[in-house]
Every structure is written in structure tokens, then in C-alpha cells.
């Protein structure tokens, strides 16, 4: 079976009711990124950061995957499908995708702030119990924090992701402005002859590579178009 690798970003989840980060009406317009998505922001005001992710998490529990997510899952009938996502939502999993790597963490999980990757203290939250209470602690006594990779922190999943991109027979990028590194650099790992498709309704400077076949549509319509072309 051929291997098809998806690299997805915030635009993938727009049709499920989520905002992108950098658009005119983007999430970072409402909440200053320095306060809610950086390591310094977390250290300065963990209460504010936990509140912000509590709100997003509550929204996620009611969100549904869109047709784009479902069509990616459907391709598993004919391809070996790997999804590498920058999104912290679980909509690829909800659509049934079997192989999903989260580069920037997972909103449904919380962890120790002393060592976010100590698996003993990573907790999966449920819909009925999805709020982190002020001052709540992990099993090691440190403050519970969202299992999110903040700006200024390393991205441990980047190496396995690069290996997967290097093995792709087809690479499909959906809904990302490709400006945040190291995720944006993953495209460079595709083999020279691997076709690369981009599904995004807009142009951004980082999309202007001769190597990309741009399907200028939203995630769902773009996936339908991709499936015709494959
Ligand atoms: P951006 O907000 O930078 O880019 C979203 C992209 O989605 C843009 O290129 C839009 O044109 C496109 N888009 C909008 N509507 C769409 C639709 N219906 N279908 C498909 N595409 C659509 O988001 P990311 O590139 O994902 O990191 O941002 C990367 C990282 O920056 C995020 O993971 C997050 C953020 O800071 C962390 O939180 C660590």
C-alpha cells in the first residue's frame, strides 16, 4: 500500500467551528499569544493559562469532525495513512484516524508542570471532568498544566514526524500557514519525487513554493478534489 501523509493545521478544524490563529478574526487576536501560549506566560500566570485552555477544552468536547477529517479516515481503505497535526484538538481521532501524531500537544490531556512528559502524571480528561481547578496539582506535587507545547519549548514529536514525512509517497498539507517552526520545516523532508498537495482557501507567502500543487479550497471541498486527483 502506498503511504499518504497529512500535515494539518488550524484550518483543518475551521469547518468544525474552531478559529485559526493568524486570520483577521484569529484566536491570537482575542487572547494575546504571549499570555496564553508561551512558557513565560505559563510561569507568569498559570491561572489565566489554565482558564484559557479550560474554555477551549469545553468547546472541543461538543465539536464534531468535519467532512475533511472523515475523508482522511476514508483513505485508510486504499492507503497507509499517517496524520501529523499541529492541532491540539482530537478531531482526527474522533473521525476514526488510526495514526495521529500531535506535534503541539493534546487539549484533552493535562500533565505535570515539572516534567510534562512523565507519563505517570499525564491525565486524560473527560467531558464531565474537563476543568482544571485553580491550584490543582499533578501526582508529583507540581501544578497541573495543559499538555500543550508552548512557544519557547521543544517539540519532541518532530523527529518521528520527520521520519514519517521522509517515507511519504504522497504528502498533503491542509490548513496551515506554514510559518511556525519546526513544524513548517517538515515539508523539506519529503523525497524529491514525492508529490505535495496543499489544501487551503488562501495564499500565504510560505505557500509560494513551486513544489506545491495548491488546491485552493477549504478542507472538506479540498479533500473531495484531492480524492478525484489521486
Ligand atoms: P494558522 O492560523 O497560522 O493558519 C491557518 C491556515 O488555515 C491559513 O493558511 C488559512 O488560510 C487556512 N484556512 C482557513 N480556513 C480554512 C478551511 N476552511 N480549510 C482549510 N484551511 C483553512 O494556523 P497553523 O498554521 O495551524 O501552535 O498554526 C501553527 C501553530 O501556530 C499552531 O499549532 C499553534 C499556533 O501558535 C501552538 O499552539 C503551539
Amino acid at each position: 500500500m502506498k503511504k499518504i501523509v497529512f500535515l494539518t493545521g488550524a484550518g483543518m478544524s475551521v469547518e468544525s467551528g474552531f478559529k485559526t490563529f493568524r486570520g483577521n478574526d484569529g484566536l491570537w487576536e482575542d487572547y494575546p499569544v504571549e499570555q496564553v501560549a508561551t512558557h513565560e506566560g505559563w510561569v507568569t500566570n498559570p491561572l489565566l493559562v489554565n482558564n484559557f485552555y479550560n474554555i477551549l477544552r469545553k468547546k472541543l468536547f461538543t465539536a464534531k469532525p468535519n467532512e475533511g477529517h472523515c475523508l482522511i479516515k476514508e483513505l485508510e481503505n486504499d492507503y497507509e495513512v499517517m496524520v501529523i497535526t499541529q492541532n491540539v484538538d482530537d478531531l482526527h481521532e474522533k473521525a476514526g484516524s488510526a495514526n495521529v501524531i500531535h506535534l503541539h500537544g493534546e487539549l484533552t490531556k493535562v500533565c505535570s508542570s515539572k516534567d510534562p512528559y512523565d507519563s505517570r502524571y499525564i491525565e486524560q480528561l473527560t467531558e464531565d471532568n474537563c476543568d482544571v481547578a485553580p491550584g490543582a496539582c499533578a501526582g508529583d506535587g507540581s501544578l497541573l498544566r495543559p499538555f500543550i507545547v508552548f512557544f519557547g519549548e521543544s517539540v519532541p514529536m518532530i523527529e518521528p514526524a520527520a521520519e514519517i514525512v521522509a517515507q511519504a509517497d504522497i504528502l498533503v498539507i491542509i490548513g496551515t500557514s506554514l510559518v511556525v517552526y519546526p513544524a513548517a520545516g517538515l515539508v523539506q523532508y519529503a523525497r524529491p519525487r514525492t508529490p505535495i498537495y496543499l489544501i487551503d482557501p488562501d495564499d500565504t507567502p510560505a505557500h509560494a513554493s513551486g513544489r506545491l500543487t495548491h488546491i485552493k479550497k477549504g478542507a472538506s471541498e479540498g479533500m473531495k478534489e484531492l480524492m478525484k486527483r489521486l
Side-chain angles (χ1 to χ4, degrees):
M1 261 193 190
K2 279 194 174 176
K3 190 174 268 186
I4 184 162
V5 176
F6 287 87
L7 173 62
T8 67
M12 183 80 229
S13 299
V14 161
E15 293 158 33
S16 294
F18 287 93
K19 289 183 170 189
T20 61
F21 293 97
R22 296 180 178 74
N24 281 339
D25 186 30
L27 192 60
W28 296 151
E29 299 278 307
D30 300 342
Y31 298 90
V33 60
E34 318 70 55
Q35 286 178 18
V36 298
T38 62
H39 186 76
E40 292 71 31
W42 163 254
V43 173
T44 309
N45 193 344
L47 192 64
L48 176 94
V49 174
N50 266 329
N51 279 342
F52 170 74
Y53 290 98
N54 279 345
I55 294 166
L56 271 188
R57 196 178 295 118
K58 208 164 272 164
K59 185 167 176 198
L60 176 58
F61 276 113
T62 59
K64 292 194 173 55
N66 61 57
E67 201 176 358
H69 293 104
C70 297
L71 290 175
I72 292 175
K73 156 69 186 161
E74 203 176 303
L75 281 176
E76 288 180 11
N77 296 330
D78 300 305
Y79 292 87
E80 190 181 331
V81 179
M82 301 291 309
V83 179
I84 301 167
T85 186
Q86 297 167 83
N87 298 344
V88 297
D89 65 52
D90 60 354
L91 296 174
H92 286 295
E93 287 91 340
K94 277 191 184 159
S97 282
N99 306 307
V100 184
I101 287 190
H102 286 271
L103 292 173
H104 294 159
E106 292 171 72
L107 191 51
T108 58
K109 294 179 178 170
V110 287
C111 59
S112 148
S113 47
K114 199 160 132 209
D115 180 1
Y117 299 100
D118 187 330
S119 56
R120 289 174 298 173
Y121 307 121
I122 297 176
E123 289 174 40
Q124 177 82 48
L125 300 178
T126 59
E127 186 169 2
D128 301 334
N129 179 25
C130 67
D131 264 347
V132 177
C137 288
D140 62 1
S142 70
L143 270 185
L144 266 185
R145 62 165 265 184
F147 187 59
I148 302 284
V149 177
F150 295 134
F151 282 103
E153 297 182 331
S154 62
V155 180
M157 294 312 285
I158 201 72
E159 284 182 21
E163 278 172 33
I164 289 166
V165 172
Q167 290 163 10
D169 296 306
I170 302 166
L171 177 63
V172 185
I173 302 162
I174 307 183
T176 169
S177 56
L178 287 178
V179 296
V180 173
Y181 281 80
L186 283 174
V187 184
Q188 315 301 328
Y189 288 86
R191 289 176 296 197
R193 283 167 188 242
T194 297
I196 308 180
Y197 293 92
L198 168 76
I199 297 175
D200 197 301
D202 293 323
D203 289 310
T204 75
H207 293 159
S209 149
R211 251 199 105 176
L212 302 175
T213 302
H214 192 169
I215 298 176
K216 225 172 156 186
K217 294 185 170 175
S220 299
E221 288 307 312
M223 275 302 297
K224 285 189 211 160
E225 174 70 29
L226 175 79
M227 289 171 88
K228 281 191 219 150
R229 296 195 192 189
L230 287 178

